[in-house]
PDB file of all heavy atoms in Angstrom:
ATOM      1  N   TRP A  53      99.056 122.436 108.688  1.00 94.00           N
ATOM      2  CA  TRP A  53      97.620 122.117 108.614  1.00 94.00           C
ATOM      3  C   TRP A  53      96.943 122.198 109.978  1.00 94.00           C
ATOM      4  O   TRP A  53      95.776 121.840 110.110  1.00 94.00           O
ATOM      5  CB  TRP A  53      97.417 120.724 108.001  1.00 94.00           C
ATOM      6  CG  TRP A  53      98.051 119.592 108.755  1.00 94.00           C
ATOM      7  CD1 TRP A  53      97.475 118.838 109.741  1.00 94.00           C
ATOM      8  CD2 TRP A  53      99.374 119.086 108.593  1.00 94.00           C
ATOM      9  NE1 TRP A  53      98.359 117.897 110.200  1.00 94.00           N
ATOM     10  CE2 TRP A  53      99.536 118.030 109.513  1.00 94.00           C
ATOM     11  CE3 TRP A  53     100.444 119.424 107.766  1.00 94.00           C
ATOM     12  CZ2 TRP A  53     100.725 117.303 109.616  1.00 94.00           C
ATOM     13  CZ3 TRP A  53     101.625 118.707 107.865  1.00 94.00           C
ATOM     14  CH2 TRP A  53     101.758 117.653 108.782  1.00 94.00           C
ATOM     15  N   ASN A 124     104.726 117.065 103.128  1.00 98.00           N
ATOM     16  CA  ASN A 124     103.773 115.955 103.174  1.00 98.00           C
ATOM     17  C   ASN A 124     102.960 115.888 101.891  1.00 98.00           C
ATOM     18  O   ASN A 124     102.407 116.904 101.461  1.00 98.00           O
ATOM     19  CB  ASN A 124     102.813 116.148 104.350  1.00 98.00           C
ATOM     20  CG  ASN A 124     103.523 116.171 105.688  1.00 98.00           C
ATOM     21  OD1 ASN A 124     103.593 115.172 106.378  1.00 98.00           O
ATOM     22  ND2 ASN A 124     104.076 117.332 106.028  1.00 98.00           N
ATOM     23  N   THR A 174     107.219 113.131 103.797  1.00 98.00           N
ATOM     24  CA  THR A 174     106.443 112.148 104.552  1.00 98.00           C
ATOM     25  C   THR A 174     105.295 111.653 103.696  1.00 98.00           C
ATOM     26  O   THR A 174     104.544 112.454 103.137  1.00 98.00           O
ATOM     27  CB  THR A 174     105.889 112.766 105.849  1.00 98.00           C
ATOM     28  OG1 THR A 174     106.974 113.151 106.683  1.00 98.00           O
ATOM     29  CG2 THR A 174     105.002 111.765 106.599  1.00 98.00           C
ATOM     30  N   TRP A 176     102.008 109.443 103.969  1.00 98.00           N
ATOM     31  CA  TRP A 176     101.005 108.696 104.734  1.00 98.00           C
ATOM     32  C   TRP A 176      99.884 108.311 103.751  1.00 98.00           C
ATOM     33  O   TRP A 176      99.381 109.154 103.014  1.00 98.00           O
ATOM     34  CB  TRP A 176     100.379 109.506 105.860  1.00 98.00           C
ATOM     35  CG  TRP A 176      99.170 108.817 106.392  1.00 98.00           C
ATOM     36  CD1 TRP A 176      99.159 107.629 107.065  1.00 98.00           C
ATOM     37  CD2 TRP A 176      97.793 109.189 106.230  1.00 98.00           C
ATOM     38  NE1 TRP A 176      97.868 107.246 107.332  1.00 98.00           N
ATOM     39  CE2 TRP A 176      97.020 108.212 106.842  1.00 98.00           C
ATOM     40  CE3 TRP A 176      97.166 110.282 105.630  1.00 98.00           C
ATOM     41  CZ2 TRP A 176      95.621 108.274 106.868  1.00 98.00           C
ATOM     42  CZ3 TRP A 176      95.764 110.338 105.657  1.00 98.00           C
ATOM     43  CH2 TRP A 176      95.007 109.334 106.264  1.00 98.00           C
ATOM     44  N   GLU A 216     104.804 106.787 106.965  1.00 98.00           N
ATOM     45  CA  GLU A 216     103.975 106.865 108.164  1.00 98.00           C
ATOM     46  C   GLU A 216     102.925 105.762 108.149  1.00 98.00           C
ATOM     47  O   GLU A 216     102.262 105.554 107.134  1.00 98.00           O
ATOM     48  CB  GLU A 216     103.297 108.236 108.232  1.00 98.00           C
ATOM     49  CG  GLU A 216     102.476 108.488 109.485  1.00 98.00           C
ATOM     50  CD  GLU A 216     101.883 109.904 109.532  1.00 98.00           C
ATOM     51  OE1 GLU A 216     102.127 110.674 108.571  1.00 98.00           O
ATOM     52  OE2 GLU A 216     101.201 110.239 110.502  1.00 98.00           O
ATOM     53  N   LEU A 249     108.126 106.616 110.109  1.00 98.00           N
ATOM     54  CA  LEU A 249     107.697 107.764 110.914  1.00 98.00           C
ATOM     55  C   LEU A 249     106.621 107.305 111.885  1.00 98.00           C
ATOM     56  O   LEU A 249     105.659 106.646 111.489  1.00 98.00           O
ATOM     57  CB  LEU A 249     107.170 108.890 110.029  1.00 98.00           C
ATOM     58  CG  LEU A 249     106.795 110.181 110.785  1.00 98.00           C
ATOM     59  CD1 LEU A 249     107.287 111.407 110.058  1.00 98.00           C
ATOM     60  CD2 LEU A 249     105.295 110.278 111.020  1.00 98.00           C
ATOM     61  N   ASP A 251     103.680 108.230 114.282  1.00 98.00           N
ATOM     62  CA  ASP A 251     102.670 109.194 114.747  1.00 98.00           C
ATOM     63  C   ASP A 251     102.060 108.570 115.992  1.00 98.00           C
ATOM     64  O   ASP A 251     101.497 107.479 115.935  1.00 98.00           O
ATOM     65  CB  ASP A 251     101.609 109.429 113.664  1.00 98.00           C
ATOM     66  CG  ASP A 251     100.571 110.486 114.053  1.00 98.00           C
ATOM     67  OD1 ASP A 251     100.092 110.435 115.210  1.00 98.00           O
ATOM     68  OD2 ASP A 251     100.250 111.340 113.221  1.00 98.00           O
ATOM     69  N   HIS A 254      98.705 106.795 116.054  1.00 98.00           N
ATOM     70  CA  HIS A 254      98.454 105.718 115.074  1.00 98.00           C
ATOM     71  C   HIS A 254      98.761 104.336 115.641  1.00 98.00           C
ATOM     72  O   HIS A 254      99.457 103.526 115.010  1.00 98.00           O
ATOM     73  CB  HIS A 254      99.283 105.977 113.803  1.00 98.00           C
ATOM     74  CG  HIS A 254      98.841 107.203 113.065  1.00 98.00           C
ATOM     75  ND1 HIS A 254      99.395 107.593 111.870  1.00 98.00           N
ATOM     76  CD2 HIS A 254      97.911 108.145 113.359  1.00 98.00           C
ATOM     77  CE1 HIS A 254      98.811 108.685 111.434  1.00 98.00           C
ATOM     78  NE2 HIS A 254      97.912 109.064 112.328  1.00 98.00           N
ATOM     79  N   HIS A 278     105.468 112.265 114.729  1.00 98.00           N
ATOM     80  CA  HIS A 278     104.328 113.187 114.780  1.00 98.00           C
ATOM     81  C   HIS A 278     103.809 113.099 116.203  1.00 98.00           C
ATOM     82  O   HIS A 278     103.242 112.088 116.592  1.00 98.00           O
ATOM     83  CB  HIS A 278     103.237 112.775 113.777  1.00 98.00           C
ATOM     84  CG  HIS A 278     103.520 113.199 112.375  1.00 98.00           C
ATOM     85  ND1 HIS A 278     102.661 112.918 111.339  1.00 98.00           N
ATOM     86  CD2 HIS A 278     104.557 113.880 111.818  1.00 98.00           C
ATOM     87  CE1 HIS A 278     103.150 113.422 110.205  1.00 98.00           C
ATOM     88  NE2 HIS A 278     104.287 114.006 110.480  1.00 98.00           N
ATOM     89  N   ASN A 280     101.484 113.942 119.369  1.00 98.00           N
ATOM     90  CA  ASN A 280     100.134 114.355 119.766  1.00 98.00           C
ATOM     91  C   ASN A 280      99.752 113.426 120.916  1.00 98.00           C
ATOM     92  O   ASN A 280     100.605 112.712 121.437  1.00 98.00           O
ATOM     93  CB  ASN A 280      99.141 114.214 118.589  1.00 98.00           C
ATOM     94  CG  ASN A 280      99.287 112.871 117.908  1.00 98.00           C
ATOM     95  OD1 ASN A 280      99.225 111.823 118.563  1.00 98.00           O
ATOM     96  ND2 ASN A 280      99.536 112.882 116.608  1.00 98.00           N
ATOM     97  N   ASP A 286      92.780 108.145 116.684  1.00 95.00           N
ATOM     98  CA  ASP A 286      93.744 109.166 116.237  1.00 95.00           C
ATOM     99  C   ASP A 286      93.193 110.536 116.599  1.00 95.00           C
ATOM    100  O   ASP A 286      92.877 111.362 115.750  1.00 95.00           O
ATOM    101  CB  ASP A 286      93.952 109.036 114.719  1.00 95.00           C
ATOM    102  CG  ASP A 286      95.076 109.946 114.235  1.00 95.00           C
ATOM    103  OD1 ASP A 286      95.895 110.369 115.071  1.00 95.00           O
ATOM    104  OD2 ASP A 286      95.106 110.255 113.022  1.00 95.00           O
ATOM    105  N   ASP A 288      94.471 113.189 117.885  1.00 95.00           N
ATOM    106  CA  ASP A 288      95.290 114.366 117.544  1.00 95.00           C
ATOM    107  C   ASP A 288      95.137 115.519 118.529  1.00 95.00           C
ATOM    108  O   ASP A 288      95.066 116.677 118.136  1.00 95.00           O
ATOM    109  CB  ASP A 288      94.905 114.858 116.130  1.00 95.00           C
ATOM    110  CG  ASP A 288      95.634 114.062 115.057  1.00 95.00           C
ATOM    111  OD1 ASP A 288      96.593 113.356 115.403  1.00 95.00           O
ATOM    112  OD2 ASP A 288      95.231 114.146 113.885  1.00 95.00           O
ATOM    113  N   ASP A 324     101.687 116.770 115.113  1.00 97.00           N
ATOM    114  CA  ASP A 324     100.573 116.554 114.185  1.00 97.00           C
ATOM    115  C   ASP A 324      99.316 116.579 115.034  1.00 97.00           C
ATOM    116  O   ASP A 324      99.047 115.624 115.761  1.00 97.00           O
ATOM    117  CB  ASP A 324     100.705 115.215 113.454  1.00 97.00           C
ATOM    118  CG  ASP A 324      99.603 115.040 112.403  1.00 97.00           C
ATOM    119  OD1 ASP A 324      98.739 115.938 112.310  1.00 97.00           O
ATOM    120  OD2 ASP A 324      99.613 114.023 111.699  1.00 97.00           O
TER     121      ASP A 324
HETATM  122 MN1   MN B 502     100.565 112.204 111.281  1.00 87.86          MN
END
Side-chain angles (χ1 to χ4, degrees):
W53 60 91
N124 299 263
T174 297
W176 167 67
E216 184 177 0
L249 184 137
D251 183 315
H254 294 183
H278 280 180
N280 47 53
D286 188 19
D288 277 346
D324 185 357

